[in-house]
Amino acid sequence: MPFVTVGTENSAPIDLYYEDHGAGQPIVLIHGFPFNGATWEKMSGPLLAAGYRVITYDRRGYGSSAQPASGYDYDTFAADLDVLMTELDLRNAILVGHSMGTGEVTRYLGAYGSDRVDRAVLMAPLAPFLLKTADNPEGVEKSMFEGFQQAIIADRFAYLTQFCDAFFNASENRGKLVSDEAYHAHWQIGAQASAKGTHDSVDAWQTDFRGDLPNIDVPVLIIQGDKDNVLPYPKTGQRLVNMLSDAKLVTLKGAPHGTPWTHPTEVNNALMEFIGKPSMATA
């Protein structure tokens, strides 16, 4: 199993698990909360078949990566991504984030620039700024985030059920766009995450990315369902597209938050159209 070390905690290394398959132009897939790189399987297969080099990794605290007690903020997450990009010496890379993973993409481009990046894809983005403040009245009340954290402390596993219900819009899509087995598999992946990381990640969702946006100088594709019950479409993707210099928004009608699983054909088609014809992958 390949790992990259991004730091230490006391006597133990903080290692991130990653997978690196294929050849050609590299695509880095960054997963959403509270899952891991395995949830990209409906994207990674077609990308490999199209001739791309596909890299997935588990964020600190999640999947097979280390579970330290700290570092669940986007400055650290972006620094972790920078270590991976540097260690693998990725060039002309396409960064693809879903949900929480869009925060790494946004902060990385804002802080580290685009020397290693060709373009970016944000699926169900966190940006521009999810928290409601005096200068961000479009945001979500802080009490909602506090309620999430209280629920995680009280019974993290019950909270995961509530989250998976919202992630998939389960009342509409369970047994149709998501099987019971896939629903339970996502729940199980989430249950294996760090309890503290799960709790602290809610703080990270409240990050203000508005300062990063002017530094993003690569083309950006935004993909989001207009029935996203985790990151509301009008407060995120619909706002964000007008705040970037070179961005396109693809709206998936009636789709939930978890589109990489529920709408893989539509997502893959939009992604392939944006990154170029498959023959370009090995150019």
Side-chain angles (χ1 to χ4, degrees):
M1 296 173 68
F3 291 91
V4 59
T5 300
V6 296
T8 59
E9 182 182 41
N10 297 331
S11 61
I14 300 173
D15 292 335
L16 301 188
Y17 171 74
Y18 71 92
E19 296 188 11
D20 184 357
H21 303 292
Q25 185 177 12
I27 298 183
V28 182
L29 303 175
I30 309 171
H31 66 83
F33 170 95
F35 306 121
N36 65 19
T39 53
W40 282 112
E41 67 177 75
K42 292 192 177 186
M43 309 289 102
S44 58
L47 288 168
L48 280 169
Y52 291 91
R53 176 183 175 187
V54 179
I55 297 107
T56 61
Y57 73 95
D58 297 348
R59 179 185 296 106
R60 65 168 60 208
Y62 297 87
S64 298
S65 291
Q67 298 189 359
S70 63
Y72 299 101
D73 60 87
Y74 276 109
D75 286 342
T76 304
F77 293 146
D80 290 349
L81 174 58
D82 183 58
V83 172
L84 180 76
M85 298 281 285
T86 302
E87 288 290 320
L88 298 183
D89 194 24
L90 300 181
R91 306 280 180 176
N92 197 36
I94 300 165
L95 297 181
V96 181
H98 175 243
S99 185
M100 191 171 172
T102 64
E104 274 97 336
V105 176
T106 306
R107 179 53 50 88
Y108 176 87
L109 289 171
Y112 295 91
S114 59
D115 286 351
R116 294 181 177 273
V117 180
D118 176 61
R119 57 193 60 213
V121 180
L122 306 175
M123 299 184 190
L126 274 172
F129 186 20
L130 199 57
L131 177 65
K132 185 175 183 178
T133 61
D135 70 341
N136 188 50
E138 300 91 344
V140 176
E141 294 286 352
K142 188 171 182 62
S143 59
M144 181 173 292
F145 300 102
E146 293 170 344
F148 292 154
Q149 290 184 313
Q150 291 167 4
I152 291 166
I153 291 171
D155 188 335
R156 180 167 64 95
F157 305 111
Y159 167 79
L160 285 174
T161 298
Q162 297 169 9
F163 182 82
C164 287
D165 284 348
F167 186 86
F168 291 117
N169 291 3
S171 62
E172 299 177 21
N173 298 322
R174 191 166 177 178
K176 300 173 184 176
L177 299 180
V178 58
S179 66
D180 284 345
E181 293 82 359
Y183 177 100
H184 288 301
H186 280 77
W187 186 96
Q188 185 62 41
I189 290 171
Q192 294 170 352
S194 158
K196 192 169 190 302
T198 302
H199 174 277
D200 290 0
S201 290
V202 179
D203 289 327
W205 302 349
Q206 302 167 60
T207 299
D208 186 352
F209 293 102
R210 291 176 296 180
D212 297 290
L213 303 182
N215 297 327
I216 297 177
D217 58 359
V218 296
V220 176
L221 173 66
I222 302 167
I223 305 173
Q224 189 168 16
D226 63 2
K227 293 187 74 173
D228 190 328
N229 285 326
V230 175
L231 296 174
Y233 172 77
K235 299 178 184 295
T236 53
Q238 195 171 41
R239 284 182 69 198
L240 179 61
V241 67
N242 296 318
M243 301 173 74
L244 292 166
S245 62
D246 185 0
K248 176 185 177 182
L249 172 63
V250 172
T251 303
L252 303 181
K253 298 295 184 182
H257 187 68
T259 52
W261 191 270
T262 61
H263 290 68
T265 300
E266 294 91 333
V267 170
N268 281 326
N269 287 342
L271 181 60
M272 288 295 187
E273 181 180 349
F274 177 67
I275 62 180
K277 296 179 180 178
S279 60
M280 296 174 60
T282 55

